[in-house]
Amino acid sequence: ACGKGCLTGDPGDYVGAAGLEAGLNDVLAGTPTTKLTLVDKKGTVVDVLGHKKGRAGRSVKTTLDVGVQRATEAGLGSTVGAAVVLDPKNGDILALATSDPLDPNSYVGASGVIPFDRSRVGLYPPGSSMKVVTASAALDTKTVTPTSRFAGPYDYRGVHNFHHEHFADISFADALKFSVNTVFAQVAEKVGAAKLYRYGKLFGFNSAPDLPLNVETSSFPRPQDDADLMFSAIGQAAVVATPLQMATVAATVANGGRRMDPRITLAQKPSGHRVMKVSTARTMTTLMEGVVQGGTGSAANISGADVAGKTGTAEVDVGGQRRNHAWFICFAPGGAPKVAVAVVAEYGGVGGEVAAPIARTILEGVLPIAP
């Protein structure tokens, strides 16, 4: 029997279907008061066998910022894809934007329906945005310096430069600036599979974020041979990532090489670990600023704010046709980062042409209001 103050109705009425409502259901819904009674045939209570007092539901304070969320959604616009904005200092998720955003009114009375949020469950090969991880590993292990010189032929052991470029002699800094695949293939060989795999894990791959949300685990499998190693280093092969994961990659560099675990409720204490030396993060910031100031990410350039970023154009085969996911990850301002951003345009084209301008629009809307 149900005593005074207990909940009535169907059990499903008090269980969140998806998202934070599902992950934080116990906190939000509380616990109903229950009473176990013995009744006779007429329904008269003869004895009370047990009683458990309920607990009222509690409010939850999230890290999401309404202004930042609106600016991010406006910047993403009608693009099929997703965008994520983080605070690099503490891992706070300020915005999660996805195409076809959830309208709760569309799910009234529905059951067993979970909206597809590309920002946290969409898995995409990250393409050259993964070079932030590879470059960080190479610099942090002193495998290369920004001035190390390489030949950048169109083809290196099966790895091709995206625009068929050939570089007779190029610095590592410029190889990142112009996203030269064949240089990064050579660098990956020098770093080696074990070290690159270790840095991938340090950056958050292969571990599910500790969030009260359904979040897919981004994957960086240990390379099995040289070809696997070279293609993994440029974000292809079997490497896949969520936009949330790639936002944390940018945020790690922005935060001086310390990766903060993403969090979405203020009740969760900030936590993190060191990925690279502070000096490496500073060097990476300079190199990523070069990408935006005169490299493949120039479409993300903002007057009056140093933007550090990296483009990505991830090749995928769809029905026998080669298509591209467009990526851009970044943070700004470079000297004192307030936000880190990741943008993916699903089958959108070239990262520098499609995702970088979206990121610029998001930054222009977010930077004046970011916490």
Coordinates of all heavy atoms in Angstrom, one line a residue, residues 83-96 119-120 126 129-130 132-133 136 199-211 215-219 240-264 271-276 281 288 327-331 337 339-343:
A83 N 29.4 20.4 -32.4 CA 30.4 21.3 -31.9 C 30.4 21.2 -30.4 O 29.3 21.0 -29.8 CB 30.2 22.7 -32.3
V84 N 31.6 21.3 -29.8 CA 31.7 21.2 -28.3 C 32.6 22.3 -27.8 O 33.6 22.7 -28.5 CB 32.4 19.9 -27.9 CG1 32.6 19.8 -26.4 CG2 31.5 18.7 -28.3
V85 N 32.2 22.9 -26.7 CA 33.0 24.0 -26.1 C 33.3 23.6 -24.7 O 32.4 23.3 -23.9 CB 32.3 25.4 -26.1 CG1 33.2 26.5 -25.5 CG2 31.9 25.7 -27.6
L86 N 34.6 23.7 -24.3 CA 35.1 23.3 -23.0 C 35.8 24.5 -22.4 O 36.4 25.3 -23.0 CB 36.1 22.1 -23.0 CG 35.6 20.8 -23.6 CD1 36.8 19.8 -23.5 CD2 34.4 20.3 -22.8
D87 N 35.9 24.5 -21.0 CA 36.8 25.4 -20.3 C 38.0 24.6 -20.0 O 38.0 23.6 -19.3 CB 36.1 25.8 -19.0 CG 36.9 26.8 -18.2 OD1 38.2 26.8 -18.3 OD2 36.4 27.6 -17.4
P88 N 39.2 24.9 -20.6 CA 40.4 24.1 -20.4 C 40.9 24.0 -19.0 O 41.5 23.0 -18.7 CB 41.4 24.9 -21.3 CG 40.6 25.7 -22.2 CD 39.4 26.1 -21.4
K89 N 40.6 25.0 -18.2 CA 41.1 25.0 -16.8 C 40.6 23.9 -15.9 O 41.3 23.4 -15.0 CB 40.9 26.4 -16.2 CG 41.5 27.5 -16.9 CD 41.3 28.8 -16.1 CE 39.8 29.2 -16.0 NZ 39.2 29.4 -17.3
N90 N 39.3 23.6 -16.1 CA 38.7 22.6 -15.2 C 37.9 21.5 -15.9 O 37.3 20.6 -15.2 CB 37.7 23.4 -14.3 CG 36.8 24.3 -15.0 OD1 36.5 24.1 -16.2 ND2 36.4 25.4 -14.3
G91 N 37.9 21.5 -17.2 CA 37.2 20.5 -18.0 C 35.7 20.7 -18.1 O 35.0 19.8 -18.6
D92 N 35.2 21.8 -17.6 CA 33.7 22.1 -17.7 C 33.2 22.1 -19.1 O 33.8 22.8 -20.0 CB 33.4 23.4 -17.1 CG 33.5 23.4 -15.6 OD1 33.8 22.3 -15.0 OD2 33.2 24.5 -14.9
I93 N 32.2 21.3 -19.4 CA 31.5 21.3 -20.7 C 30.6 22.5 -20.7 O 29.6 22.6 -20.0 CB 30.7 20.0 -20.9 CG1 31.7 18.8 -20.9 CG2 30.0 20.1 -22.2 CD1 31.0 17.5 -20.9
L94 N 30.9 23.5 -21.5 CA 30.1 24.7 -21.6 C 29.0 24.6 -22.6 O 27.9 25.2 -22.5 CB 31.0 25.9 -21.9 CG 32.1 26.2 -20.9 CD1 33.0 27.4 -21.4 CD2 31.6 26.4 -19.5
A95 N 29.2 23.8 -23.6 CA 28.2 23.6 -24.7 C 28.4 22.3 -25.4 O 29.5 21.9 -25.7 CB 28.3 24.8 -25.7
L96 N 27.3 21.7 -25.7 CA 27.3 20.5 -26.6 C 26.2 20.7 -27.6 O 25.0 20.8 -27.3 CB 26.9 19.2 -25.8 CG 27.8 18.7 -24.7 CD1 27.2 17.6 -23.9 CD2 29.1 18.2 -25.3
S119 N 27.7 15.1 -30.7 CA 28.8 15.7 -30.0 C 29.4 14.7 -29.0 O 30.6 14.8 -28.7 CB 28.3 16.9 -29.2 OG 27.4 16.6 -28.2
R120 N 28.6 13.7 -28.5 CA 29.2 12.8 -27.5 C 29.1 11.3 -27.9 O 29.7 10.5 -27.3 CB 28.5 13.0 -26.2 CG 27.0 13.0 -26.2 CD 26.4 13.5 -24.9 NE 25.0 13.6 -24.9 CZ 24.1 12.6 -24.8 NH1 24.6 11.4 -24.5 NH2 22.8 12.8 -24.8
P126 N 39.4 11.2 -36.9 CA 39.7 12.6 -36.7 C 40.5 13.2 -37.7 O 40.7 14.5 -37.8 CB 40.4 12.6 -35.3 CG 41.0 11.3 -35.2 CD 40.1 10.3 -35.9
S129 N 43.4 16.4 -37.5 CA 43.3 17.0 -36.1 C 44.0 16.1 -35.1 O 44.5 16.6 -34.1 CB 41.9 17.2 -35.7 OG 41.2 16.0 -35.6
M130 N 44.2 14.9 -35.5 CA 45.0 13.9 -34.6 C 46.5 14.3 -34.6 O 47.2 13.8 -33.7 CB 44.8 12.5 -35.2 CG 45.4 11.4 -34.3 SD 44.4 11.3 -32.7 CE 45.4 10.1 -31.8
V132 N 47.8 16.8 -33.6 CA 48.1 17.5 -32.3 C 48.6 16.5 -31.3 O 49.6 16.8 -30.6 CB 46.8 18.2 -31.8 CG1 47.1 18.8 -30.4 CG2 46.4 19.3 -32.7
V133 N 48.0 15.3 -31.3 CA 48.5 14.2 -30.4 C 49.9 13.8 -30.9 O 50.8 13.6 -30.1 CB 47.5 13.1 -30.4 CG1 48.1 11.9 -29.6 CG2 46.2 13.5 -29.8
S136 N 52.6 16.4 -30.3 CA 52.8 16.5 -28.9 C 53.7 15.4 -28.4 O 54.7 15.6 -27.6 CB 51.5 16.6 -28.1 OG 50.7 17.7 -28.4
Y199 N 50.7 8.0 -25.6 CA 50.3 9.4 -25.6 C 48.8 9.4 -26.0 O 48.0 10.3 -25.5 CB 51.1 10.3 -26.5 CG 52.3 10.8 -25.8 CD1 53.5 10.1 -25.8 CD2 52.3 12.0 -25.2 CE1 54.7 10.5 -25.1 CE2 53.4 12.5 -24.5 CZ 54.6 11.8 -24.5 OH 55.7 12.2 -23.8
G200 N 48.4 8.6 -26.9 CA 46.9 8.5 -27.2 C 46.1 8.3 -26.0 O 45.1 8.9 -25.8
K201 N 46.5 7.3 -25.2 CA 45.8 7.0 -23.9 C 45.9 8.2 -23.0 O 44.9 8.5 -22.3 CB 46.4 5.8 -23.2 CG 46.1 4.5 -24.0 CD 46.7 3.3 -23.3 CE 46.0 3.1 -21.9 NZ 46.6 1.8 -21.3
L202 N 47.0 8.9 -22.9 CA 47.1 10.0 -22.0 C 46.2 11.2 -22.4 O 45.6 11.9 -21.6 CB 48.6 10.6 -22.0 CG 49.6 9.7 -21.2 CD1 51.0 10.2 -21.5 CD2 49.3 9.8 -19.7
F203 N 46.0 11.3 -23.7 CA 45.0 12.3 -24.2 C 43.6 11.9 -24.0 O 42.7 12.7 -24.4 CB 45.3 12.6 -25.7 CG 46.3 13.7 -25.9 CD1 47.6 13.5 -26.2 CD2 45.9 15.0 -25.8 CE1 48.5 14.5 -26.4 CE2 46.8 16.1 -26.1 CZ 48.1 15.8 -26.3
G204 N 43.3 10.7 -23.6 CA 41.9 10.3 -23.3 C 41.3 9.3 -24.1 O 40.2 8.8 -23.9
F205 N 42.1 8.8 -25.2 CA 41.6 7.7 -26.0 C 41.5 6.4 -25.2 O 42.3 6.2 -24.3 CB 42.4 7.6 -27.2 CG 42.2 8.6 -28.3 CD1 42.9 9.8 -28.2 CD2 41.4 8.4 -29.3 CE1 42.7 10.8 -29.2 CE2 41.2 9.4 -30.3 CZ 41.8 10.6 -30.2
N206 N 40.6 5.6 -25.6 CA 40.5 4.2 -25.0 C 39.9 4.2 -23.6 O 39.9 3.1 -22.9 CB 41.8 3.4 -25.0 CG 42.4 3.4 -26.4 OD1 41.7 3.3 -27.4 ND2 43.7 3.3 -26.5
S207 N 39.4 5.3 -23.1 CA 38.8 5.4 -21.8 C 37.5 6.2 -21.9 O 37.5 7.3 -22.5 CB 39.7 6.1 -20.8 OG 40.9 5.3 -20.6
A208 N 36.4 5.6 -21.3 CA 35.1 6.3 -21.3 C 35.1 7.5 -20.3 O 35.6 7.2 -19.2 CB 34.0 5.4 -21.0
P209 N 34.7 8.6 -20.7 CA 34.6 9.7 -19.7 C 33.7 9.4 -18.6 O 32.7 8.7 -18.8 CB 34.1 10.9 -20.5 CG 34.4 10.6 -21.9 CD 34.3 9.1 -22.0
D210 N 34.0 9.8 -17.4 CA 33.2 9.6 -16.2 C 32.1 10.7 -16.1 O 32.2 11.7 -15.4 CB 34.0 9.6 -14.9 CG 33.2 9.3 -13.7 OD1 32.1 8.7 -13.8 OD2 33.7 9.6 -12.6
L211 N 31.0 10.5 -16.9 CA 30.0 11.4 -17.0 C 28.6 10.7 -16.8 O 28.5 9.6 -17.2 CB 30.0 12.1 -18.3 CG 31.2 13.1 -18.6 CD1 31.1 13.5 -20.1 CD2 31.1 14.3 -17.8
V215 N 28.3 8.4 -23.4 CA 29.3 8.9 -24.2 C 30.1 7.8 -24.8 O 30.5 6.9 -24.0 CB 30.3 9.8 -23.3 CG1 31.4 10.4 -24.2 CG2 29.5 11.0 -22.7
E216 N 30.3 7.8 -26.1 CA 31.1 6.7 -26.7 C 32.5 6.9 -26.4 O 33.1 8.0 -26.2 CB 30.9 6.8 -28.2 CG 29.5 6.3 -28.7 CD 29.3 4.8 -28.5 OE1 30.3 4.1 -28.3 OE2 28.1 4.4 -28.4
T217 N 33.2 5.7 -26.3 CA 34.7 5.7 -26.0 C 35.4 5.9 -27.3 O 35.3 5.1 -28.3 CB 35.1 4.4 -25.4 OG1 34.4 4.2 -24.2 CG2 36.6 4.4 -25.1
S218 N 36.2 7.0 -27.4 CA 37.1 7.2 -28.5 C 38.2 6.2 -28.5 O 38.7 5.8 -27.5 CB 37.7 8.6 -28.5 OG 36.6 9.5 -28.5
S219 N 38.6 5.7 -29.7 CA 39.5 4.6 -29.8 C 40.8 4.9 -30.6 O 40.7 5.4 -31.7 CB 38.8 3.4 -30.4 OG 39.7 2.3 -30.6
V240 N 39.1 6.4 -34.1 CA 37.9 7.1 -34.2 C 37.7 8.0 -32.9 O 38.2 7.6 -31.8 CB 36.6 6.2 -34.3 CG1 36.6 5.6 -35.7 CG2 36.6 5.1 -33.3
A241 N 37.0 9.1 -33.0 CA 36.9 10.0 -31.9 C 35.6 10.7 -31.9 O 35.0 11.0 -33.0 CB 38.0 11.0 -31.8
T242 N 35.1 11.1 -30.7 CA 33.9 11.9 -30.6 C 34.4 13.4 -30.6 O 35.5 13.7 -30.3 CB 33.2 11.7 -29.3 OG1 34.0 12.0 -28.2 CG2 32.7 10.2 -29.1
P243 N 33.5 14.3 -31.0 CA 33.9 15.7 -30.9 C 34.2 16.1 -29.5 O 35.1 16.9 -29.3 CB 32.6 16.4 -31.4 CG 32.0 15.5 -32.3 CD 32.2 14.1 -31.8
L244 N 33.6 15.5 -28.5 CA 34.0 15.8 -27.1 C 35.4 15.4 -26.8 O 36.2 16.2 -26.2 CB 33.0 15.1 -26.1 CG 33.4 15.2 -24.6 CD1 33.3 16.6 -24.2 CD2 32.4 14.3 -23.8
Q245 N 35.8 14.3 -27.3 CA 37.2 13.8 -27.1 C 38.2 14.8 -27.8 O 39.2 15.2 -27.2 CB 37.4 12.4 -27.6 CG 38.8 12.0 -27.9 CD 39.7 12.0 -26.6 OE1 39.2 11.9 -25.5 NE2 41.0 12.1 -26.8
M246 N 37.9 15.2 -29.0 CA 38.8 16.1 -29.7 C 38.9 17.5 -29.1 O 39.9 18.2 -29.1 CB 38.5 16.1 -31.2 CG 38.7 14.8 -31.9 SD 40.2 14.0 -31.6 CE 41.4 15.1 -32.3
A247 N 37.8 17.9 -28.4 CA 37.8 19.1 -27.7 C 38.7 19.0 -26.5 O 39.5 20.0 -26.2 CB 36.4 19.5 -27.2
T248 N 38.8 17.9 -25.9 CA 39.7 17.7 -24.7 C 41.2 17.7 -25.2 O 42.1 18.0 -24.5 CB 39.4 16.4 -23.9 OG1 39.8 15.3 -24.7 CG2 38.0 16.3 -23.5
V249 N 41.4 17.2 -26.5 CA 42.8 17.3 -27.0 C 43.3 18.7 -27.1 O 44.4 19.1 -26.6 CB 42.8 16.6 -28.4 CG1 44.2 16.8 -29.1 CG2 42.6 15.1 -28.2
A250 N 42.4 19.6 -27.7 CA 42.8 21.0 -27.8 C 42.9 21.6 -26.4 O 43.8 22.4 -26.1 CB 41.7 21.7 -28.6
A251 N 42.0 21.3 -25.5 CA 42.0 21.8 -24.1 C 43.2 21.4 -23.4 O 43.7 22.2 -22.5 CB 40.7 21.4 -23.4
T252 N 43.8 20.2 -23.6 CA 45.0 19.8 -22.9 C 46.2 20.7 -23.3 O 46.9 21.1 -22.4 CB 45.3 18.3 -23.3 OG1 44.2 17.5 -22.9 CG2 46.6 17.8 -22.6
V253 N 46.3 21.0 -24.5 CA 47.4 21.9 -24.9 C 47.1 23.3 -24.3 O 48.1 23.9 -23.8 CB 47.5 22.0 -26.5 CG1 48.6 23.0 -26.9 CG2 47.7 20.7 -27.1
A254 N 45.9 23.7 -24.4 CA 45.6 25.1 -23.8 C 45.8 25.2 -22.3 O 46.2 26.2 -21.8 CB 44.1 25.3 -24.1
N255 N 45.7 24.0 -21.6 CA 45.9 24.0 -20.2 C 47.3 23.7 -19.8 O 47.5 23.1 -18.7 CB 44.9 23.0 -19.5 CG 44.8 23.2 -18.0 OD1 44.7 24.3 -17.5 ND2 44.7 22.1 -17.3
G256 N 48.3 24.0 -20.6 CA 49.7 23.8 -20.3 C 50.1 22.3 -20.2 O 51.0 22.0 -19.5
G257 N 49.4 21.5 -20.9 CA 49.7 20.1 -21.0 C 49.1 19.2 -20.0 O 49.3 18.0 -19.9
R258 N 48.2 19.7 -19.2 CA 47.4 18.9 -18.2 C 46.0 18.7 -18.7 O 45.3 19.7 -19.0 CB 47.4 19.6 -16.8 CG 46.7 18.9 -15.8 CD 46.8 19.5 -14.4 NE 46.0 18.8 -13.4 CZ 46.4 17.8 -12.7 NH1 47.6 17.2 -13.0 NH2 45.6 17.2 -11.8
R259 N 45.6 17.5 -18.9 CA 44.3 17.1 -19.3 C 43.3 17.1 -18.2 O 43.5 16.3 -17.2 CB 44.3 15.8 -20.1 CG 42.9 15.4 -20.6 CD 42.9 14.0 -21.3 NE 41.7 13.8 -22.0 CZ 40.6 13.2 -21.4 NH1 40.6 12.9 -20.1 NH2 39.5 13.0 -22.1
M260 N 42.3 17.9 -18.3 CA 41.2 17.9 -17.2 C 40.1 17.0 -17.8 O 39.7 17.1 -18.9 CB 40.7 19.3 -17.0 CG 41.8 20.2 -16.5 SD 42.6 19.6 -14.9 CE 41.2 19.7 -13.8
D261 N 39.7 16.1 -16.9 CA 38.6 15.2 -17.3 C 37.3 16.1 -17.5 O 37.0 16.9 -16.7 CB 38.3 14.2 -16.2 CG 39.5 13.3 -15.9 OD1 40.1 12.9 -16.9 OD2 39.7 13.0 -14.7
P262 N 36.6 15.8 -18.6 CA 35.4 16.6 -18.9 C 34.4 16.3 -17.7 O 34.2 15.2 -17.3 CB 34.9 16.1 -20.2 CG 35.5 14.8 -20.4 CD 36.8 14.8 -19.7
R263 N 33.7 17.4 -17.3 CA 32.6 17.3 -16.3 C 31.5 18.1 -16.7 O 31.6 19.1 -17.4 CB 33.1 17.7 -14.9 CG 33.4 19.1 -14.7 CD 33.6 19.5 -13.3 NE 33.7 20.9 -13.1 CZ 33.6 21.6 -11.9 NH1 33.4 20.9 -10.8 NH2 33.7 22.9 -11.9
I264 N 30.3 17.7 -16.3 CA 29.0 18.4 -16.7 C 28.2 18.8 -15.5 O 27.2 19.5 -15.7 CB 28.2 17.6 -17.7 CG1 27.3 18.4 -18.5 CG2 27.5 16.4 -17.0 CD1 26.7 17.8 -19.7
S271 N 39.1 17.0 -12.0 CA 40.2 16.0 -11.9 C 41.0 16.0 -13.2 O 40.4 16.3 -14.2 CB 39.7 14.6 -11.5 OG 38.8 14.2 -12.5
G272 N 42.2 15.6 -13.1 CA 43.0 15.5 -14.4 C 44.4 14.9 -14.2 O 44.7 14.5 -13.0
H273 N 45.2 14.9 -15.2 CA 46.5 14.4 -15.1 C 47.4 15.0 -16.2 O 46.9 15.6 -17.2 CB 46.5 12.9 -15.3 CG 46.0 12.4 -16.7 ND1 44.7 12.1 -16.9 CD2 46.6 12.3 -17.9 CE1 44.5 11.8 -18.1 NE2 45.6 11.9 -18.8
R274 N 48.7 15.0 -16.0 CA 49.6 15.6 -16.9 C 49.9 14.7 -18.1 O 50.1 13.5 -17.9 CB 51.0 15.9 -16.2 CG 52.0 16.6 -17.1 CD 52.9 17.6 -16.4 NE 52.2 18.7 -15.8 CZ 51.7 19.7 -16.5 NH1 51.9 19.8 -17.8 NH2 51.1 20.7 -15.9
V275 N 49.8 15.3 -19.3 CA 50.0 14.6 -20.5 C 51.4 14.9 -21.1 O 52.1 14.0 -21.5 CB 48.9 15.0 -21.6 CG1 49.3 14.4 -22.9 CG2 47.6 14.5 -21.1
M276 N 51.8 16.1 -21.0 CA 53.1 16.6 -21.6 C 53.6 17.7 -20.7 O 52.9 18.3 -19.9 CB 52.9 17.1 -23.0 CG 52.1 18.4 -23.1 SD 51.7 18.9 -24.8 CE 50.0 18.3 -24.9
A281 N 53.7 22.0 -24.2 CA 52.4 22.7 -24.5 C 52.6 24.1 -25.0 O 51.9 24.5 -25.9 CB 51.6 22.7 -23.2
M288 N 50.4 25.7 -33.3 CA 49.0 25.7 -33.6 C 48.5 27.1 -34.0 O 47.6 27.3 -34.8 CB 48.1 25.1 -32.5 CG 48.4 23.6 -32.3 SD 47.6 22.9 -30.8 CE 45.8 23.1 -31.3
W327 N 37.0 18.6 -40.0 CA 37.3 18.9 -38.6 C 38.0 20.2 -38.3 O 38.8 20.6 -39.2 CB 38.2 17.8 -38.0 CG 37.6 16.5 -37.6 CD1 37.5 15.4 -38.4 CD2 37.0 16.1 -36.4 NE1 36.9 14.3 -37.7 CE2 36.6 14.8 -36.5 CE3 36.8 16.8 -35.1 CZ2 36.0 14.1 -35.4 CZ3 36.2 16.1 -34.1 CH2 35.8 14.8 -34.2
F328 N 37.8 20.8 -37.2 CA 38.7 21.8 -36.7 C 38.7 21.8 -35.2 O 37.6 21.8 -34.6 CB 38.3 23.2 -37.2 CG 39.3 24.3 -37.0 CD1 40.5 24.3 -37.7 CD2 39.2 25.2 -36.0 CE1 41.5 25.2 -37.5 CE2 40.1 26.2 -35.7 CZ 41.3 26.2 -36.5
I329 N 39.8 21.8 -34.5 CA 39.9 21.9 -33.1 C 40.8 23.1 -32.8 O 41.8 23.4 -33.5 CB 40.5 20.6 -32.4 CG1 41.9 20.3 -32.9 CG2 39.6 19.4 -32.8 CD1 42.5 19.2 -32.1
C330 N 40.5 23.8 -31.7 CA 41.2 25.0 -31.4 C 41.0 25.5 -30.0 O 40.2 24.9 -29.3 CB 40.7 26.1 -32.4 SG 39.0 26.6 -32.2
F331 N 41.7 26.5 -29.6 CA 41.5 27.2 -28.3 C 41.9 28.7 -28.5 O 42.6 29.0 -29.4 CB 42.2 26.6 -27.2 CG 43.7 26.4 -27.3 CD1 44.6 27.5 -26.9 CD2 44.3 25.3 -27.9 CE1 45.9 27.3 -27.0 CE2 45.7 25.2 -28.0 CZ 46.5 26.2 -27.6
P337 N 44.1 31.0 -22.6 CA 42.9 30.4 -23.2 C 41.7 30.4 -22.2 O 41.7 30.1 -21.1 CB 43.3 29.0 -23.4 CG 44.8 29.1 -23.5 CD 45.2 30.1 -22.5
V339 N 38.5 29.2 -23.8 CA 37.7 28.1 -24.3 C 38.5 27.2 -25.2 O 39.4 27.7 -25.9 CB 36.4 28.6 -25.0 CG1 35.5 29.2 -24.0 CG2 36.8 29.5 -26.1
A340 N 38.1 25.9 -25.3 CA 38.6 25.0 -26.3 C 37.4 24.6 -27.1 O 36.3 24.3 -26.5 CB 39.3 23.9 -25.7
V341 N 37.5 24.4 -28.4 CA 36.4 24.1 -29.3 C 36.8 23.0 -30.2 O 37.9 22.9 -30.7 CB 36.0 25.4 -30.1 CG1 34.9 25.0 -31.1 CG2 35.6 26.5 -29.2
A342 N 35.8 22.1 -30.5 CA 35.9 21.1 -31.5 C 34.7 21.2 -32.4 O 33.6 21.3 -31.9 CB 36.1 19.7 -30.9
V343 N 34.9 21.1 -33.7 CA 33.8 21.1 -34.7 C 34.0 20.0 -35.7 O 35.2 19.8 -36.2 CB 33.8 22.5 -35.5 CG1 32.8 22.4 -36.6 CG2 33.5 23.6 -34.5

